Amino acid sequence: MKSLKPVWLVLLPFTLQAQSPGHTGTANLTAWFRADGLPPVVTSWTTTWPTGFSAITLTDNSTPYPVATDAPAGATSNYNFTVDFSGNSLSALKALENSGTFDLLDNNNPGDEGTFFAVYYLPNYTQNGHIVMFREGTGTVDGIQFRVLGPLPVLNRLAIGTGAASTDASRDIQEDFRPVIFACDGNRSGPGTLRTYRRSLLYTGGGPSGSTGASGLYFGVRFGSGTYNAPYDGFISEVIFYNKDLTPAEYARVHSYLAVKFGITLENSGGGTQGDYVTSSGSLAWDASDNPAYHTDVIGIARDDSTALLQKQSHSFDDSTRLYVGVIAVSNAGNMDSIASDGSYVIMGHDNGLMCPSPATAAEVPSSPGPVITRLGREWKVTNTGFSGMFSCDFTLGAFANPAVLPS
């Protein structure tokens, strides 16, 4: 007879890592609002993180409501969901709000830390429209006031904290009516303690100001002294808060995630690593200083699971260039193809050449018959990081191109 021997199961501890922007983790992530999956009529918007009992929900309690769409005119959110506040006015108010007390970040006092991101698109000028307003509570406390300042040329103003107006608490950012990743961190205690970024480039300058308004968190409107004012007439796609200042490496990962997702070209005028795109693990997917002339209309497709990124189709803001897997669809979610491997990126940019032949490019075409029968003025740079599948590109020819002489 065989004897039975006990078998011991050793259960090793593990941590289930939640998805986070740029794989920064959730320890210091205090609020992450993603528009993905919102219903068409947005009566409320709840954080992707935190979830459950700690989740934060903003609501609009009366019509008209903001609209969630992954197919706005011109696919200006790069085929992803965005929240549309178009037509917002005091007589037809669209506002998402929660008047509770939230400790999302610290920025009013020396030594305070906190980071804020907002992805937005302003199609037309509307003076003083409030994109995001946050005030922690009553008294002199932490705050964010991000709004369209105007008049033309249009500036957007960030003011932090709730002390007296100060140039240390305010920055003015030039508006160019294209989708923007805006970010800031630090505090208002002195020169250089507040840092603001437009499409990842450090931005300085601005008149003295300070954050005002009622306690709570508001998208699309300012609320103060019991009165709504300054409605925002535009789009908001993603909003993120951290209760610490992100490191440069963390900033690079979050900016890259948002840039690939929303088809936004990061600024590379700072040189060095400025404008680089990295994966959630920190691997370089696009080197902006390698042939920098091609850093125009940078777009990408990618699968990066830890940062909740699955971008199967992208296009430039003017829709002259498209990059995609499978068959391009109305929306990114509607693309039925897949990207096989986690950590896969294809990034593409161009040199801003003409989308038609010219005498200079015609001189480069071989005189003997061959596969090259015409040459466009524009050139593209494409980088591949771990991507093993097939992908496609579509290009829109310029007005003086002749499709009859182009290969089909």
Side-chain angles (χ1 to χ4, degrees):
M1 179 181 296
K2 295 181 178 179
S3 59
L4 298 177
K5 296 182 179 180
V7 176
W8 297 93
L9 297 178
V10 179
L11 301 179
L12 298 177
F14 71 96
T15 300
L16 181 62
Q17 179 65 56
Q19 292 176 319
S20 59
H23 194 39
T24 51
T26 55
N28 298 102
L29 179 62
T30 54
W32 183 18
F33 290 90
R34 297 173 68 220
D36 306 77
L38 285 174
V41 177
V42 183
T43 58
S44 64
W45 191 355
T46 300
T47 49
T48 298
W49 183 271
T51 60
F53 180 76
S54 300
I56 300 171
T57 298
L58 308 185
T59 59
D60 188 346
N61 295 317
S62 62
T63 58
Y65 300 111
V67 174
T69 174
D70 57 358
T76 49
S77 59
N78 201 32
Y79 308 109
N80 288 295
F81 275 94
T82 186
V83 180
D84 184 358
F85 291 82
S86 294
N88 199 6
S89 67
L90 292 179
S91 60
L93 187 61
K94 302 175 183 179
L96 293 165
E97 59 180 319
N98 188 321
S99 59
T101 300
F102 305 107
D103 187 12
L104 299 180
L105 49 70
D106 297 325
N107 61 17
N108 197 67
N109 301 308
D112 282 352
E113 294 191 11
T115 305
F116 165 73
F117 286 88
V119 178
Y120 74 95
Y121 169 50
L122 180 67
N124 302 292
Y125 169 57
T126 53
Q127 186 168 358
N128 209 32
H130 275 56
I131 304 168
V132 175
M133 194 190 84
F134 160 66
R135 185 183 176 112
E136 184 176 333
T138 58
T140 305
V141 293
D142 309 305
I144 291 281
Q145 188 175 4
F146 185 46
R147 61 191 171 110
V148 182
L149 182 63
L152 295 171
V154 179
L155 295 173
N156 295 332
R157 172 165 287 181
L158 168 83
I160 67 170
T162 51
S166 167
T167 55
D168 300 331
S170 178
R171 295 288 183 271
D172 291 344
I173 290 74
Q174 185 68 53
E175 177 60 57
D176 59 7
F177 305 105
R178 296 169 68 96
V180 175
I181 305 169
F182 173 81
C184 71
D185 69 10
N187 59 68
R188 53 175 289 152
S189 62
T193 58
L194 167 62
R195 294 164 294 273
T196 57
Y197 305 86
R198 187 185 77 164
R199 303 188 186 103
S200 81
L201 183 66
L202 183 66
Y203 219 93
T204 60
S209 188
S211 177
T212 62
S215 299
L217 181 60
Y218 303 83
F219 292 175
V221 74
R222 180 187 180 276
F223 184 67
S225 301
T227 303
Y228 293 99
N229 56 63
Y232 168 65
D233 186 1
F235 296 80
I236 301 175
S237 299
E238 202 145 323
V239 177
I240 308 168
F241 288 87
Y242 294 88
N243 62 6
K244 72 162 191 171
D245 296 348
L246 293 191
T247 66
E250 290 170 328
Y251 255 118
R253 299 201 304 270
V254 178
H255 272 126
S256 298
Y257 150 70
L258 293 172
V260 171
K261 181 174 181 179
F262 294 108
I264 298 172
T265 302
L266 299 179
E267 299 279 358
N268 72 329
S269 56
T273 61
Q274 176 62 46
D276 287 355
Y277 291 64
V278 298
T279 71
S280 67
S281 64
S283 298
L284 185 62
W286 175 269
D287 186 346
S289 60
D290 179 11
N291 292 298
Y294 294 88
H295 195 86
T296 303
D297 287 338
V298 179
I299 57 175
I301 54 175
R303 175 185 164 188
D304 203 332
D305 296 348
S306 63
T307 195
L309 178 63
L310 182 56
Q311 194 63 32
K312 294 180 281 187
Q313 55 187 55
S314 288
H315 73 146
S316 58
F317 181 70
D318 65 1
D319 200 29
S320 63
T321 306
R322 296 177 180 178
L323 174 65
Y324 56 96
V325 295
V327 177
I328 202 162
V330 173
S331 67
N332 185 59
N335 187 318
M336 294 294 101
D337 213 287
S338 61
I339 298 176
S341 301
D342 183 20
S344 300
Y345 283 72
V346 176
I347 309 291
M348 179 169 69
H350 64 77
D351 65 352
N352 207 31
L354 296 174
M355 287 297 288
C356 63
S358 68
T361 61
E364 299 179 9
V365 178
S367 57
S368 59
V372 179
I373 60 175
T374 191
R375 187 200 188 299
L376 300 177
R378 182 169 296 182
E379 296 180 350
W380 289 264
K381 168 187 163 185
V382 181
T383 63
N384 184 322
T385 304
F387 192 98
S388 59
M390 299 289 292
F391 62 88
S392 301
C393 303
D394 291 350
F395 305 106
T396 301
L397 298 178
F400 297 102
N402 182 2
V405 301
L406 294 175
S408 59

